[in-house]
Amino acid sequence: MTPDRKHPHVAVIGAGFSGLMTAVHLTTLSADLRVTLIERRPVFGRGVAYDTRDPGHLLNVRLDNMSAFPDRPDDLADWVAARDPAPAPHDFIGRGLYGDYLAAIRDRAVAKADGRLTLTPAEALALDRTAEGWIVSTSDGPVAADAVVLALGNLEPATPPGIDPALRTSALYVENPWALNPRSMADARRILVIGTGLTMVDTVLSLRAPGRRFVALSRRGLVPRAHSVEVLAPSDDVFSGGPSGLLAQVRAASARQDWRAVFDRLRRVARDLWRGWTPVERSRFLRHLRPLWDVHRHRLAPTIAAQVEALRATGDLTILAGRLTESHLTDTGAQVCWRPRGGQDAVCEGFDLVVNCTGPLSAVERSTRPLIRNLLAKGLIQPDPLGLGLAVDEAGRPLDVAGRPVPGLYAIGPLTRGAAWEITAVPDLRGAALDLARRVTADMTA
Protein backbone atom coordinates (compact mmCIF):
# COMPACT_ATOMS: atom_id res chain seq x y z
CA MET A 1 0.00 0.00 0.00
CA THR A 2 2.71 2.45 -0.96
CA PRO A 3 1.20 5.91 -1.54
CA ASP A 4 1.26 7.49 -4.99
CA ARG A 5 2.71 10.94 -4.29
CA LYS A 6 1.86 12.19 -7.78
CA HIS A 7 -1.79 11.22 -7.37
CA PRO A 8 -2.83 11.65 -3.72
CA HIS A 9 -5.73 9.53 -2.58
CA VAL A 10 -8.62 10.86 -0.45
CA ALA A 11 -11.09 8.52 1.22
CA VAL A 12 -14.51 10.09 1.83
CA ILE A 13 -16.54 8.09 4.35
CA GLY A 14 -20.25 8.62 3.78
CA ALA A 15 -22.02 9.19 0.46
CA GLY A 16 -24.99 11.32 1.38
CA PHE A 17 -25.17 14.88 0.08
CA SER A 18 -22.08 16.11 1.95
CA GLY A 19 -19.87 13.18 1.04
CA LEU A 20 -20.99 13.05 -2.59
CA MET A 21 -20.50 16.75 -3.23
CA THR A 22 -17.12 16.82 -1.46
CA ALA A 23 -15.98 13.94 -3.66
CA VAL A 24 -17.33 15.59 -6.81
CA HIS A 25 -15.50 18.84 -6.06
CA LEU A 26 -12.27 17.02 -5.21
CA THR A 27 -12.19 15.30 -8.58
CA THR A 28 -12.92 18.52 -10.47
CA LEU A 29 -10.56 20.82 -8.56
CA SER A 30 -7.51 18.70 -9.32
CA ALA A 31 -6.83 16.19 -12.07
CA ASP A 32 -4.19 14.62 -9.83
CA LEU A 33 -6.44 13.59 -6.94
CA ARG A 34 -7.99 10.16 -6.62
CA VAL A 35 -11.08 9.73 -4.46
CA THR A 36 -12.74 6.68 -2.94
CA LEU A 37 -16.30 7.23 -1.74
CA ILE A 38 -17.20 4.68 0.94
CA GLU A 39 -20.88 4.14 1.78
CA ARG A 40 -22.41 1.50 4.03
CA ARG A 41 -25.87 1.84 2.44
CA PRO A 42 -26.47 0.36 -1.05
CA VAL A 43 -27.25 3.81 -2.52
CA PHE A 44 -24.62 6.46 -3.25
CA GLY A 45 -25.56 10.13 -3.19
CA ARG A 46 -29.16 10.05 -2.03
CA GLY A 47 -28.57 9.66 1.68
CA VAL A 48 -31.51 8.77 3.93
CA ALA A 49 -33.38 12.04 3.31
CA TYR A 50 -33.67 11.68 -0.48
CA ASP A 51 -33.95 7.90 -0.72
CA THR A 52 -37.75 7.89 -0.79
CA ARG A 53 -40.52 7.42 -3.31
CA ASP A 54 -43.31 8.59 -1.05
CA PRO A 55 -45.04 11.46 -2.94
CA GLY A 56 -45.86 13.04 0.42
CA HIS A 57 -42.17 13.57 1.18
CA LEU A 58 -41.40 17.03 -0.22
CA LEU A 59 -38.34 19.23 0.12
CA ASN A 60 -38.76 21.91 2.77
CA VAL A 61 -36.77 24.38 0.64
CA ARG A 62 -37.97 25.75 -2.69
CA LEU A 63 -36.55 24.29 -5.88
CA ASP A 64 -34.70 27.48 -6.84
CA ASN A 65 -32.57 27.36 -3.68
CA MET A 66 -31.63 23.67 -3.84
CA SER A 67 -28.91 23.52 -6.47
CA ALA A 68 -26.10 21.27 -5.29
CA PHE A 69 -23.53 23.79 -6.55
CA PRO A 70 -23.08 27.18 -4.82
CA ASP A 71 -21.59 28.70 -7.98
CA ARG A 72 -24.30 27.28 -10.28
CA PRO A 73 -27.62 28.31 -8.70
CA ASP A 74 -29.69 27.22 -11.71
CA ASP A 75 -28.26 23.70 -11.92
CA LEU A 76 -31.27 21.98 -10.34
CA ALA A 77 -33.77 24.21 -12.13
CA ASP A 78 -32.14 23.40 -15.47
CA TRP A 79 -32.18 19.69 -14.65
CA VAL A 80 -35.86 19.59 -13.73
CA ALA A 81 -36.80 21.85 -16.66
CA ALA A 82 -36.09 18.91 -18.95
CA ARG A 83 -38.67 16.78 -17.16
CA ASP A 84 -42.32 16.49 -18.15
CA PRO A 85 -44.11 18.18 -16.54
CA ALA A 86 -41.45 20.60 -15.38
CA PRO A 87 -42.00 22.01 -11.85
CA ALA A 88 -42.13 25.78 -11.43
CA PRO A 89 -38.97 27.40 -10.02
CA HIS A 90 -40.65 28.15 -6.68
CA ASP A 91 -42.20 24.70 -6.25
CA PHE A 92 -41.37 22.28 -3.43
CA ILE A 93 -40.42 19.15 -5.36
CA GLY A 94 -40.41 15.60 -4.05
CA ARG A 95 -37.38 14.43 -2.11
CA GLY A 96 -37.23 11.33 -4.29
CA LEU A 97 -36.93 13.55 -7.38
CA TYR A 98 -34.13 15.44 -5.68
CA GLY A 99 -32.47 12.10 -5.05
CA ASP A 100 -32.63 11.44 -8.79
CA TYR A 101 -30.87 14.76 -9.33
CA LEU A 102 -28.07 13.77 -6.96
CA ALA A 103 -27.78 10.38 -8.64
CA ALA A 104 -27.36 12.15 -11.99
CA ILE A 105 -24.57 14.30 -10.49
CA ARG A 106 -22.92 11.14 -9.15
CA ASP A 107 -23.04 9.32 -12.48
CA ARG A 108 -21.76 12.36 -14.36
CA ALA A 109 -18.88 12.78 -11.90
CA VAL A 110 -17.86 9.11 -12.12
CA ALA A 111 -17.78 9.27 -15.92
CA LYS A 112 -15.90 12.57 -16.01
CA ALA A 113 -13.31 11.50 -13.44
CA ASP A 114 -12.16 8.70 -15.76
CA GLY A 115 -11.30 6.20 -13.05
CA ARG A 116 -10.29 8.69 -10.35
CA LEU A 117 -13.59 8.38 -8.45
CA THR A 118 -14.31 4.95 -7.00
CA LEU A 119 -17.55 3.99 -5.28
CA THR A 120 -17.01 1.40 -2.54
CA PRO A 121 -20.14 -0.16 -1.01
CA ALA A 122 -18.88 -1.08 2.45
CA GLU A 123 -19.03 0.05 6.06
CA ALA A 124 -15.98 1.83 7.43
CA LEU A 125 -15.15 0.09 10.70
CA ALA A 126 -11.85 1.57 11.86
CA LEU A 127 -9.24 4.17 11.02
CA ASP A 128 -5.49 3.90 11.63
CA ARG A 129 -2.70 6.41 11.09
CA THR A 130 0.42 5.16 9.34
CA ALA A 131 3.71 6.75 8.38
CA GLU A 132 2.31 7.25 4.88
CA GLY A 133 -1.21 8.37 5.77
CA TRP A 134 -4.27 6.35 6.74
CA ILE A 135 -5.75 2.89 6.53
CA VAL A 136 -9.53 2.69 6.50
CA SER A 137 -10.63 -0.78 7.58
CA THR A 138 -13.94 -1.57 5.89
CA SER A 139 -16.28 -4.54 5.75
CA ASP A 140 -14.87 -5.14 2.25
CA GLY A 141 -11.19 -4.82 3.14
CA PRO A 142 -8.65 -2.05 3.79
CA VAL A 143 -8.42 1.23 1.88
CA ALA A 144 -5.17 3.20 1.99
CA ALA A 145 -5.47 6.97 1.74
CA ASP A 146 -3.43 10.13 2.18
CA ALA A 147 -6.39 11.94 3.74
CA VAL A 148 -9.79 11.00 5.13
CA VAL A 149 -13.03 12.99 5.13
CA LEU A 150 -15.68 12.02 7.68
CA ALA A 151 -19.03 12.74 6.01
CA LEU A 152 -21.03 10.48 8.31
CA GLY A 153 -24.31 12.37 8.18
CA ASN A 154 -26.65 11.93 11.12
CA LEU A 155 -26.03 9.27 13.70
CA GLU A 156 -28.54 6.60 14.64
CA PRO A 157 -31.82 7.58 16.32
CA ALA A 158 -31.71 8.47 20.00
CA THR A 159 -33.89 6.30 22.25
CA PRO A 160 -36.20 8.57 24.28
CA PRO A 161 -35.99 8.33 28.08
CA GLY A 162 -38.84 6.29 29.52
CA ILE A 163 -38.94 3.57 26.85
CA ASP A 164 -39.03 0.21 28.62
CA PRO A 165 -36.47 -2.33 27.30
CA ALA A 166 -39.19 -4.93 26.69
CA LEU A 167 -41.17 -2.45 24.59
CA ARG A 168 -38.05 -1.26 22.79
CA THR A 169 -37.28 -4.77 21.54
CA SER A 170 -40.87 -5.57 20.59
CA ALA A 171 -42.67 -5.20 17.25
CA LEU A 172 -44.80 -2.44 18.79
CA TYR A 173 -41.92 0.02 18.91
CA VAL A 174 -40.14 1.57 15.92
CA GLU A 175 -36.78 3.08 16.83
CA ASN A 176 -35.91 4.25 13.32
CA PRO A 177 -38.91 5.74 11.47
CA TRP A 178 -37.00 5.66 8.17
CA ALA A 179 -36.87 1.87 8.37
CA LEU A 180 -40.56 1.18 8.96
CA ASN A 181 -42.75 -0.40 6.33
CA PRO A 182 -46.22 1.19 6.29
CA ARG A 183 -47.74 -2.00 4.91
CA SER A 184 -46.63 -3.93 8.01
CA MET A 185 -48.60 -1.54 10.26
CA ALA A 186 -52.04 -2.36 8.83
CA ASP A 187 -53.54 -3.42 12.19
CA ALA A 188 -52.36 -0.38 14.15
CA ARG A 189 -55.30 1.93 14.84
CA ARG A 190 -53.86 4.17 17.56
CA ILE A 191 -50.25 5.28 17.14
CA LEU A 192 -48.06 7.35 19.45
CA VAL A 193 -45.36 9.39 17.73
CA ILE A 194 -42.65 10.68 20.06
CA GLY A 195 -41.49 14.00 18.65
CA THR A 196 -43.41 16.72 16.79
CA GLY A 197 -40.85 17.88 14.19
CA LEU A 198 -40.36 17.23 10.50
CA THR A 199 -39.85 13.49 10.98
CA MET A 200 -43.19 13.26 12.77
CA VAL A 201 -44.86 14.92 9.80
CA ASP A 202 -43.28 12.47 7.35
CA THR A 203 -44.27 9.52 9.52
CA VAL A 204 -47.88 10.57 10.02
CA LEU A 205 -48.41 11.34 6.33
CA SER A 206 -46.89 7.99 5.36
CA LEU A 207 -48.94 5.96 7.87
CA ARG A 208 -52.29 7.77 7.72
CA ALA A 209 -55.23 5.53 6.88
CA PRO A 210 -59.00 5.54 7.46
CA GLY A 211 -59.80 5.01 11.12
CA ARG A 212 -56.22 5.49 12.27
CA ARG A 213 -55.46 8.07 14.97
CA PHE A 214 -52.13 9.63 15.89
CA VAL A 215 -50.93 11.28 19.08
CA ALA A 216 -47.66 13.21 18.75
CA LEU A 217 -45.85 14.09 21.97
CA SER A 218 -42.88 16.40 22.59
CA ARG A 219 -41.62 18.52 25.48
CA ARG A 220 -43.16 21.73 24.11
CA GLY A 221 -45.63 20.40 21.57
CA LEU A 222 -44.25 22.67 18.84
CA VAL A 223 -44.92 21.80 15.20
CA PRO A 224 -42.89 23.11 12.22
CA ARG A 225 -44.35 26.27 10.73
CA ALA A 226 -45.28 26.60 7.06
CA HIS A 227 -43.48 28.38 4.25
CA SER A 228 -45.40 31.24 2.69
CA VAL A 229 -47.37 30.43 -0.43
CA GLU A 230 -45.79 33.37 -2.24
CA VAL A 231 -42.10 34.19 -2.50
CA LEU A 232 -41.33 36.97 -0.03
CA ALA A 233 -39.22 40.06 -0.50
CA PRO A 234 -35.91 39.58 1.31
CA SER A 235 -35.29 41.23 4.65
CA ASP A 236 -32.34 43.59 5.12
CA ASP A 237 -32.36 43.55 8.92
CA VAL A 238 -29.05 43.47 10.79
CA PHE A 239 -28.71 41.14 13.78
CA SER A 240 -26.07 41.12 16.50
CA GLY A 241 -25.44 40.31 20.13
CA GLY A 242 -26.26 37.36 22.37
CA PRO A 243 -29.33 35.11 22.42
CA SER A 244 -31.55 37.36 24.56
CA GLY A 245 -30.84 40.47 22.51
CA LEU A 246 -31.22 38.51 19.31
CA LEU A 247 -34.66 37.28 20.35
CA ALA A 248 -35.78 40.87 20.95
CA GLN A 249 -34.43 41.93 17.54
CA VAL A 250 -36.22 39.07 15.76
CA ARG A 251 -39.52 39.93 17.47
CA ALA A 252 -39.18 43.58 16.51
CA ALA A 253 -38.32 42.74 12.90
CA SER A 254 -41.23 40.27 12.68
CA ALA A 255 -43.64 43.01 13.74
CA ARG A 256 -42.65 44.97 10.62
CA GLN A 257 -42.62 42.16 8.04
CA ASP A 258 -43.35 38.48 7.54
CA TRP A 259 -41.41 36.47 10.11
CA ARG A 260 -40.33 34.03 7.40
CA ALA A 261 -38.31 36.72 5.64
CA VAL A 262 -36.77 37.61 9.01
CA PHE A 263 -35.68 34.04 9.66
CA ASP A 264 -34.36 33.64 6.13
CA ARG A 265 -32.17 36.67 6.73
CA LEU A 266 -31.17 35.43 10.17
CA ARG A 267 -30.15 32.04 8.78
CA ARG A 268 -27.61 33.68 6.48
CA VAL A 269 -25.78 35.23 9.44
CA ALA A 270 -26.42 32.44 11.95
CA ARG A 271 -22.94 30.96 11.61
CA ASP A 272 -21.22 34.26 12.35
CA LEU A 273 -23.51 34.92 15.30
CA TRP A 274 -22.92 31.44 16.69
CA ARG A 275 -19.16 31.75 16.40
CA GLY A 276 -19.27 35.09 18.22
CA TRP A 277 -21.11 33.67 21.23
CA THR A 278 -19.42 32.41 24.36
CA PRO A 279 -19.94 28.78 25.44
CA VAL A 280 -22.41 30.06 28.07
CA GLU A 281 -24.41 31.93 25.42
CA ARG A 282 -24.46 28.93 23.15
CA SER A 283 -25.67 26.74 26.00
CA ARG A 284 -28.38 29.26 26.87
CA PHE A 285 -29.57 29.31 23.26
CA LEU A 286 -29.74 25.50 23.11
CA ARG A 287 -31.61 25.27 26.39
CA HIS A 288 -34.18 28.00 25.85
CA LEU A 289 -34.42 28.98 22.18
CA ARG A 290 -33.48 25.97 20.08
CA PRO A 291 -37.03 24.53 19.92
CA LEU A 292 -38.33 27.88 18.69
CA TRP A 293 -35.49 28.15 16.18
CA ASP A 294 -36.14 24.68 14.81
CA VAL A 295 -39.87 25.09 14.12
CA HIS A 296 -39.42 28.51 12.49
CA ARG A 297 -36.22 27.74 10.60
CA HIS A 298 -37.06 24.22 9.31
CA ARG A 299 -40.46 24.79 7.72
CA LEU A 300 -43.01 22.75 5.81
CA ALA A 301 -44.07 23.13 2.20
CA PRO A 302 -47.48 24.86 2.20
CA THR A 303 -49.30 21.82 0.82
CA ILE A 304 -47.80 19.58 3.52
CA ALA A 305 -48.68 22.08 6.26
CA ALA A 306 -52.27 22.13 4.99
CA GLN A 307 -52.47 18.34 5.22
CA VAL A 308 -51.18 18.40 8.80
CA GLU A 309 -53.74 21.03 9.77
CA ALA A 310 -56.51 18.99 8.15
CA LEU A 311 -55.52 15.93 10.20
CA ARG A 312 -55.55 18.00 13.38
CA ALA A 313 -58.93 19.51 12.52
CA THR A 314 -60.53 16.06 12.14
CA GLY A 315 -58.92 14.73 15.30
CA ASP A 316 -56.84 12.20 13.39
CA LEU A 317 -53.70 13.92 14.73
CA THR A 318 -53.41 15.29 18.27
CA ILE A 319 -50.35 17.28 19.31
CA LEU A 320 -49.44 17.16 23.01
CA ALA A 321 -46.80 18.91 25.11
CA GLY A 322 -45.32 16.80 27.88
CA ARG A 323 -42.49 14.63 29.13
CA LEU A 324 -42.53 10.86 28.61
CA THR A 325 -42.20 9.22 32.03
CA GLU A 326 -42.62 5.47 31.51
CA SER A 327 -43.87 2.81 29.15
CA HIS A 328 -44.76 -0.87 29.38
CA LEU A 329 -45.47 -3.74 27.03
CA THR A 330 -48.86 -5.26 27.83
CA ASP A 331 -50.96 -8.11 26.49
CA THR A 332 -53.00 -5.65 24.44
CA GLY A 333 -50.33 -3.23 23.24
CA ALA A 334 -48.10 -0.50 24.65
CA GLN A 335 -49.03 1.44 27.78
CA VAL A 336 -47.33 4.85 27.76
CA CYS A 337 -47.35 7.53 30.43
CA TRP A 338 -46.35 11.19 30.22
CA ARG A 339 -46.56 14.30 32.37
CA PRO A 340 -48.29 17.16 30.52
CA ARG A 341 -46.30 20.38 30.30
CA GLY A 342 -47.13 22.53 33.31
CA GLY A 343 -48.93 19.65 35.06
CA GLN A 344 -48.09 17.36 37.96
CA ASP A 345 -50.10 14.21 37.33
CA ALA A 346 -49.09 11.69 34.69
CA VAL A 347 -51.47 10.61 31.92
CA CYS A 348 -51.38 6.99 30.73
CA GLU A 349 -52.91 5.61 27.55
CA GLY A 350 -52.69 2.49 25.41
CA PHE A 351 -51.35 2.41 21.85
CA ASP A 352 -50.97 -0.19 19.12
CA LEU A 353 -47.65 1.24 17.97
CA VAL A 354 -45.02 3.69 19.23
CA VAL A 355 -42.76 5.43 16.69
CA ASN A 356 -39.63 7.31 17.78
CA CYS A 357 -39.35 10.59 15.84
CA THR A 358 -37.10 12.47 18.26
CA GLY A 359 -34.28 12.66 15.73
CA PRO A 360 -30.71 11.39 15.61
CA LEU A 361 -28.15 11.23 18.36
CA SER A 362 -25.86 14.21 18.61
CA ALA A 363 -23.82 12.90 21.56
CA VAL A 364 -21.17 10.88 19.71
CA GLU A 365 -20.06 9.12 22.90
CA ARG A 366 -23.42 7.29 22.92
CA SER A 367 -23.18 6.10 19.32
CA THR A 368 -22.89 2.40 18.56
CA ARG A 369 -21.33 2.93 15.13
CA PRO A 370 -18.10 0.91 14.95
CA LEU A 371 -16.12 3.73 13.32
CA ILE A 372 -17.18 6.29 15.93
CA ARG A 373 -16.33 3.89 18.75
CA ASN A 374 -12.96 3.18 17.15
CA LEU A 375 -12.05 6.84 16.70
CA LEU A 376 -13.06 7.68 20.27
CA ALA A 377 -11.05 4.76 21.68
CA LYS A 378 -7.95 5.89 19.79
CA GLY A 379 -8.35 9.50 20.87
CA LEU A 380 -8.58 10.70 17.26
CA ILE A 381 -11.85 12.50 17.99
CA GLN A 382 -13.65 13.86 21.04
CA PRO A 383 -17.25 14.90 21.70
CA ASP A 384 -18.33 18.49 21.26
CA PRO A 385 -18.62 20.05 24.75
CA LEU A 386 -22.27 21.00 24.12
CA GLY A 387 -23.19 17.59 22.74
CA LEU A 388 -23.41 18.78 19.12
CA GLY A 389 -21.45 15.98 17.47
CA LEU A 390 -17.67 16.17 17.17
CA ALA A 391 -15.39 18.76 18.68
CA VAL A 392 -14.02 20.59 15.63
CA ASP A 393 -12.09 23.78 14.95
CA GLU A 394 -13.59 26.65 12.92
CA ALA A 395 -12.36 24.99 9.73
CA GLY A 396 -14.38 21.89 10.62
CA ARG A 397 -11.35 19.71 11.38
CA PRO A 398 -11.93 17.13 14.14
CA LEU A 399 -9.98 17.73 17.35
CA ASP A 400 -8.21 14.82 19.00
CA VAL A 401 -8.30 14.02 22.71
CA ALA A 402 -5.61 16.66 23.30
CA GLY A 403 -7.68 19.32 21.50
CA ARG A 404 -5.50 19.44 18.38
CA PRO A 405 -6.60 18.99 14.75
CA VAL A 406 -5.37 15.70 13.32
CA PRO A 407 -3.34 16.20 10.11
CA GLY A 408 -5.10 14.64 7.13
CA LEU A 409 -8.43 14.14 8.90
CA TYR A 410 -11.44 16.29 7.99
CA ALA A 411 -15.17 16.36 8.72
CA ILE A 412 -18.30 17.82 7.20
CA GLY A 413 -22.01 17.78 7.86
CA PRO A 414 -24.24 17.58 10.95
CA LEU A 415 -21.45 16.27 13.20
CA THR A 416 -19.63 19.61 12.80
CA ARG A 417 -22.57 21.58 14.12
CA GLY A 418 -20.66 22.68 17.21
CA ALA A 419 -18.54 25.01 15.07
CA ALA A 420 -21.09 26.12 12.49
CA TRP A 421 -24.58 25.54 13.97
CA GLU A 422 -26.33 25.88 10.58
CA ILE A 423 -24.84 22.91 8.72
CA THR A 424 -27.68 20.46 8.05
CA ALA A 425 -29.52 21.88 5.02
CA VAL A 426 -28.42 21.89 1.37
CA PRO A 427 -28.05 25.72 1.15
CA ASP A 428 -25.40 25.45 3.90
CA LEU A 429 -23.85 22.10 3.02
CA ARG A 430 -23.19 22.90 -0.65
CA GLY A 431 -20.88 25.78 0.25
CA ALA A 432 -19.24 23.76 3.01
CA ALA A 433 -18.53 20.89 0.59
CA LEU A 434 -16.83 23.20 -1.89
CA ASP A 435 -14.83 24.95 0.86
CA LEU A 436 -13.69 21.63 2.30
CA ALA A 437 -12.72 20.25 -1.10
CA ARG A 438 -10.61 23.35 -1.74
CA ARG A 439 -8.93 22.95 1.64
CA VAL A 440 -8.16 19.26 1.11
CA THR A 441 -6.95 19.87 -2.43
CA ALA A 442 -4.59 22.60 -1.25
CA ASP A 443 -3.23 20.36 1.52
CA MET A 444 -2.78 17.37 -0.80
CA THR A 445 -1.15 19.25 -3.69
CA ALA A 446 1.04 21.66 -1.73
Side-chain angles (χ1 to χ4, degrees):
M1 297 185 181
T2 302
D4 182 350
R5 295 304 182 192
K6 292 184 178 180
H7 300 283
H9 183 205
V10 181
V12 179
I13 303 175
F17 181 91
S18 298
L20 172 67
M21 295 312 300
T22 300
V24 168
H25 290 309
L26 285 170
T27 58
T28 56
L29 288 171
S30 172
D32 295 326
L33 284 180
R34 296 174 295 123
V35 180
T36 295
L37 192 54
I38 302 169
E39 172 55 48
R40 61 179 186 160
R41 299 177 69 250
V43 180
F44 284 77
R46 292 180 179 273
V48 174
Y50 309 120
D51 189 17
T52 176
R53 290 300 172 188
D54 190 321
H57 292 168
L58 302 184
L59 296 178
N60 61 350
V61 178
R62 284 184 165 87
L63 182 160
D64 55 1
N65 196 26
M66 284 292 288
S67 169
F69 300 91
D71 53 346
R72 289 152 52 186
D74 296 329
D75 190 72
L76 173 61
D78 291 342
W79 184 83
V80 299
R83 305 183 69 86
D84 184 21
H90 301 309
D91 279 355
F92 295 85
I93 64 173
R95 295 211 301 267
L97 178 59
Y98 192 75
D100 293 342
Y101 166 65
L102 296 178
I105 292 174
R106 174 202 65 207
D107 294 343
R108 188 166 63 243
V110 169
K112 189 176 179 180
D114 194 24
R116 292 186 297 111
L117 177 56
T118 302
L119 308 182
T120 299
E123 181 173 9
L125 304 172
L127 191 58
D128 290 288
R129 297 182 70 179
T130 69
E132 293 80 20
W134 298 90
I135 298 294
V136 184
S137 298
T138 80
S139 55
D140 193 44
V143 176
D146 298 287
V148 174
V149 175
L150 302 176
L152 305 179
N154 289 311
L155 297 179
E156 65 267 31
T159 304
I163 295 296
D164 180 75
L167 174 61
R168 185 174 184 269
T169 56
S170 76
L172 301 189
Y173 175 76
V174 178
E175 178 91 317
N176 183 359
W178 298 106
L180 66 80
N181 180 357
R183 287 173 293 184
S184 68
M185 312 298 176
D187 296 332
R189 313 314 297 164
R190 186 165 170 79
I191 298 176
L192 174 66
V193 181
I194 306 173
T196 58
L198 294 173
T199 305
M200 176 278 292
V201 173
D202 283 344
T203 299
V204 169
L205 294 184
S206 293
L207 294 181
R208 60 183 168 175
R212 180 172 286 169
R213 300 291 184 267
F214 298 89
V215 173
L217 173 71
S218 68
R219 297 279 182 88
R220 300 196 184 193
L222 297 175
V223 178
R225 305 304 196 254
H227 278 281
S228 61
V229 175
E230 303 296 331
V231 178
L232 301 172
S235 167
D236 59 359
D237 286 278
V238 177
F239 301 102
S240 62
S244 297
L246 184 63
L247 178 60
Q249 294 167 41
V250 169
R251 284 174 171 167
S254 298
R256 300 188 303 268
Q257 59 197 303
D258 193 296
W259 63 265
R260 299 169 183 83
V262 175
F263 266 81
D264 290 343
R265 171 65 177 170
L266 182 58
R267 184 188 66 77
R268 290 193 284 273
V269 298
R271 181 178 302 187
D272 291 337
L273 289 169
W274 177 262
R275 288 179 172 175
W277 288 349
T278 66
V280 172
E281 288 176 317
R282 292 180 181 183
S283 179
R284 187 179 303 133
F285 170 84
L286 294 174
R287 186 168 59 253
H288 299 294
L289 298 180
R290 180 177 185 175
L292 292 173
W293 171 271
D294 285 345
V295 297
H296 288 85
R297 162 68 183 90
H298 302 288
R299 304 193 287 269
L300 298 171
T303 56
I304 298 299
Q307 293 177 57
V308 172
E309 286 306 308
L311 289 170
R312 297 181 70 176
T314 60
D316 291 338
L317 170 62
T318 301
I319 305 294
L320 298 177
R323 181 190 297 268
L324 186 70
T325 57
E326 60 180 315
S327 62
H328 303 284
L329 187 64
T330 70
D331 293 339
T332 58
Q335 185 78 3
V336 182
C337 302
W338 64 88
R339 183 175 295 110
R341 184 175 178 84
Q344 296 296 323
D345 299 327
V347 175
C348 298
E349 294 186 16
F351 296 92
D352 302 315
L353 185 70
V354 178
V355 184
N356 171 29
C357 291
T358 58
L361 276 172
S362 56
V364 294
E365 65 274 19
R366 293 170 52 197
S367 176
T368 59
R369 281 201 193 180
L371 180 61
I372 294 289
R373 305 307 309 166
N374 173 265
L375 293 173
L376 285 169
K378 292 173 179 172
L380 290 171
I381 60 172
Q382 63 169 303
D384 174 76
L386 292 177
L388 296 175
L390 301 176
V392 295
D393 63 12
E394 288 201 356
R397 297 177 300 178
L399 301 179
D400 65 14
V401 71
R404 300 168 301 197
V406 181
L409 184 62
Y410 308 85
I412 187 174
L415 291 184
T416 67
R417 199 168 193 178
W421 179 243
E422 275 293 291
I423 196 65
T424 59
V426 166
D428 307 299
L429 290 170
R430 62 189 174 200
L434 180 56
D435 290 345
L436 178 58
R438 286 170 173 164
R439 188 177 308 120
V440 175
T441 301
D443 291 346
M444 291 295 97
T445 58

